[in-house]
Every structure is written in C-alpha cells, then in structure tokens.
Amino acid sequence: MEMLTAALMGDFLGTPTYFWLAFVAIVIGLLVFDLSFLNKEDHEIGARESLGLYGFYVAIAIAFGGWVWWQRGAEAGLEFYTAYLIEQSLAMDNMFVIATIFSFLAIPRLYQHRVLFWGILGVVALRAILIGLGAALVYQFSWILFIFGGFLVFTGIRMFAHQGSPPDIEQNPAFKFLRKHFRITKELRGHDFTAREPDPKTGKIVLWLTPLAVALIMVEVVDLIFAVDSVPAVFAVTQDTFIVYTSNIFAILGLRALYFALAAAMNRFRYLQTALATILVLVGIKIFLVPMGVHIDTLLSLLVTLGILGGGIGFSLYKTRNEPGDDRAVDTAANP
C-alpha cells in the first residue's frame, strides 16, 4: 500500500502521477462514452446536438480546471483556463480547414463524426510528442522562447495578409502524396476506411483507401501543422507540461463536438481570422517577454483573449446577420 501511495504521489514531468492518471481516465471515459453510447450508430449530428455536446465537454473542462485550482492553487487554475481558451480560440480556424477537407472529398455529415472521433486518437498522441519536445527545449534552452515568440508574431501577421483565402486541398502536398502512392476508391464504401478490391491492372485483390481514410489522414496532417502554432502559444501562458497538455486536449475535444454547429454557418465568421491573428501576435509578444523577466498577469491575459475572441465572433455575426448559412461540409465537392 505504501509503495502504491508513493508511486501515485511521485513526480512525473513536474506533476504528481495521480494527476496524470486522473486526466487519462477522464479522457478515456469520454471517448468510450462518445463511441459506445452517444454515437454507437452512424447518424447526422445537428446543430442542437452539437451545441449540447460542446456544452458537456466545456463543463468537464471547467470542472477539471476547478480541480487543478483547488489542488494546486489559483495561479495554476488561471493558467489552465487561459491556456484552454487560447487553444480553443486558435483551433477554431482549424475547424474551417476541416470543413473544406470534408467538402472537397464529399464526406457526408453521416460519417464526419467517425473521422473526427478517430482523429482525436492521433491528436492525443501527436500533441504528447510535440508538447514533450517543446517542454524539453524550453527547459534546456530558455532562449528558444524568443524563437517561439517571433514565430507566433510572424504567423499572426501572415494570417492578417491571407484572410479570406480558402486552402487549396487539391494542391496540398499531403493529398498529392496520398493520391500518388496509394490506391484510393472514387467513392465511399460505407463508413469503412479501407476496402479490398481488384487491382485494375493485375486483377488481384488489394487494399484500397477510401475517401474517408484520406479525410482522416488530411485532418491529422492539418492538426499537426496547426499544433506548430498553437503549442508555442500556450507556452506563453505556462511552461507546466501538465497544464499545457491537458488544456490542449480538453479544448480539442470540445471543438470537435462544436464542429457540426459551426459547419452550418462558416461564412458568418468572416472576421474571426482577424481576431485570431491579433491573439497570435499578442501571445507572441507575451512569450517573447518571458525570458526577459517581464511577467504579464495571467488573469489579464485570460480577459484580453476572451475579449478579442468574443469581439471577433460578435462583430462577424453582426456584420453577416442578413446572410444565410453556408454549409460547406455536406455534399458538394470533387472526388480524389
């Protein structure tokens, strides 16, 4: 018993082991609940269900942050909530890219949740690697924060310059690689990611990827690229690996649930990129100041981020209030 207690109270990446175990148990429980109960059968997720699921995930994240606050103090709690909000803010731009991928590959709503669900597993693993690497670099070379900050400022300015430019999926290097090196069926095969069908040249039964698998791979690639921006941004708030990782995962879980409500009104968020670009620039400046010993209050960072994000969403909805929704993620698209 004493050995078990010592193991649970032992330190892992600067945080007691039982904190990590509690987090892993919550995430596994949420994924099992999602797959086994909420979405046991393929079905189209409407805006109301999407908003309900999002509210549920947000409530779990708030409760988890409250537990961190109670166990580790107010500063750690505020860091979690700020990191969670920054990650969720920046990830909204990622949702627009995912909608474009679904549209291009003609993935119907019926199967989109399946792609997003299995994509979460990749996100959990990839974020662990990236955040672990980032934390190690910051620990060994504190000057790396200058590079992180400069990169975020550059990314924010680039986002300002490319507002309103939809991604060209057909020219995406990852998509071109898949199309060149793998057999891809022209149409879906139900909800399957792969299919065993005859090779048109040899007649032998071989393995094919379906457009659903291509969508899954593209979503993972997009998230990896997006993480290169978002992970350094969270290091501006804290270098605590536990808070960085848990806030990332909770934010992504919530936004993947919100995706279906956002998909029906993508064109209404026309000015959101301006807000996100502003957040990136400010976070870049903040992280640039950390090695110089300049500390910006965590609560102030939280309120400023919330204000910019809320202002961007509110202004977008006001300016486009007379425009209809534009569901780009449902039916119209080209096939690979």
Side-chain angles (χ1 to χ4, degrees):
M1 186 66 180
E2 291 182 0
M3 292 182 61
L4 177 61
T5 302
L8 291 174
M9 297 301 295
D11 183 87
F12 180 69
L13 297 177
T15 300
T17 304
Y18 75 91
F19 272 79
W20 289 101
L21 293 177
F23 167 70
V24 170
I26 291 170
V27 171
I28 291 176
L30 288 173
L31 293 176
V32 170
F33 178 68
D34 188 312
L35 186 63
S36 302
F37 296 96
L38 296 179
N39 295 283
K40 191 174 183 179
E41 303 288 340
D42 293 325
H43 71 285
E44 294 187 15
I45 297 179
R48 180 175 297 181
E49 181 180 354
S50 177
L51 290 171
L53 285 173
Y54 176 68
F56 171 72
Y57 280 113
V58 169
I60 295 294
I62 291 174
F64 186 84
W67 181 60
V68 171
W69 190 309
W70 176 51
Q71 291 287 320
R72 301 182 58 182
E75 184 66 22
L78 280 174
E79 287 177 350
F80 175 85
Y81 288 129
T82 305
Y84 173 79
L85 182 61
I86 288 176
E87 174 66 25
Q88 194 153 91
S89 301
L90 299 178
M92 290 188 74
D93 193 49
N94 199 30
M95 295 297 101
F96 301 152
V97 180
I98 290 175
T100 304
I101 291 171
F102 284 156
S103 176
F104 178 79
L105 295 170
I107 307 299
R109 278 186 179 274
L110 185 64
Y111 302 130
Q112 288 175 11
H113 176 269
R114 181 171 170 80
V115 173
L116 295 177
F117 175 85
W118 292 108
I120 285 290
L121 300 182
V123 168
V124 170
L126 290 173
R127 290 302 173 95
I129 295 171
L130 285 174
I131 290 171
L133 179 61
L137 287 173
V138 171
Y139 180 77
Q140 292 291 331
F141 314 103
S142 60
W143 51 263
I144 202 75
L145 290 173
F146 288 119
I147 297 177
F148 285 175
F151 178 73
L152 291 176
V153 171
F154 169 77
T155 303
I157 294 172
R158 186 180 62 182
M159 186 180 288
F160 274 121
H162 292 87
Q163 291 183 70
S165 302
D168 188 348
I169 303 300
E170 191 163 10
Q171 296 303 314
N172 183 280
F175 178 72
K176 292 169 73 174
F177 177 85
L178 289 173
R179 191 162 56 177
K180 181 178 180 180
H181 293 90
F182 294 89
R183 303 178 187 88
I184 303 173
T185 63
K186 291 189 176 297
E187 297 178 353
L188 293 170
R189 298 296 185 266
H191 70 189
D192 294 332
F193 291 110
T194 60
R196 298 193 66 83
E197 298 182 0
D199 185 290
K201 295 181 180 179
T202 66
K204 293 182 179 180
I205 301 298
V206 293
L207 188 68
W208 293 67
L209 297 181
T210 68
L212 210 63
V214 176
L216 176 60
I217 295 169
M218 291 296 296
V219 166
E220 294 289 1
V221 170
V222 165
D223 184 81
L224 180 61
I225 295 171
F226 159 76
V228 174
D229 291 338
S230 69
V231 170
V234 177
F235 277 112
V237 177
T238 179
Q239 286 82 58
D240 186 319
T241 308
F242 178 78
I243 291 177
V244 173
Y245 185 62
T246 55
S247 62
N248 258 253
I249 300 304
F250 276 121
I252 292 169
L253 283 171
L255 267 184
R256 295 289 168 102
L258 183 63
Y259 166 80
F260 297 95
L262 291 175
M266 289 294 183
N267 65 313
R268 299 281 317 269
F269 297 96
R270 186 171 302 160
Y271 302 97
L272 181 60
Q273 275 197 326
T274 302
L276 300 182
T278 303
I279 291 172
L280 271 176
V281 171
L282 292 179
V283 169
I285 294 172
K286 184 178 187 298
I287 199 171
F288 197 84
L289 295 175
V290 171
M292 301 171 63
V294 179
H295 175 72
I296 298 177
D297 185 70
T298 305
L299 179 58
L300 177 61
S301 299
L302 175 63
L303 294 175
V304 169
T305 303
L306 188 61
I308 294 173
L309 179 63
I313 293 174
F315 185 69
S316 294
L317 294 177
Y318 173 76
K319 293 292 287 185
T320 61
R321 61 191 182 280
N322 296 321
E323 297 182 14
D326 178 22
D327 192 345
R328 294 185 292 164
V330 185
D331 297 316
T332 60
N335 278 315

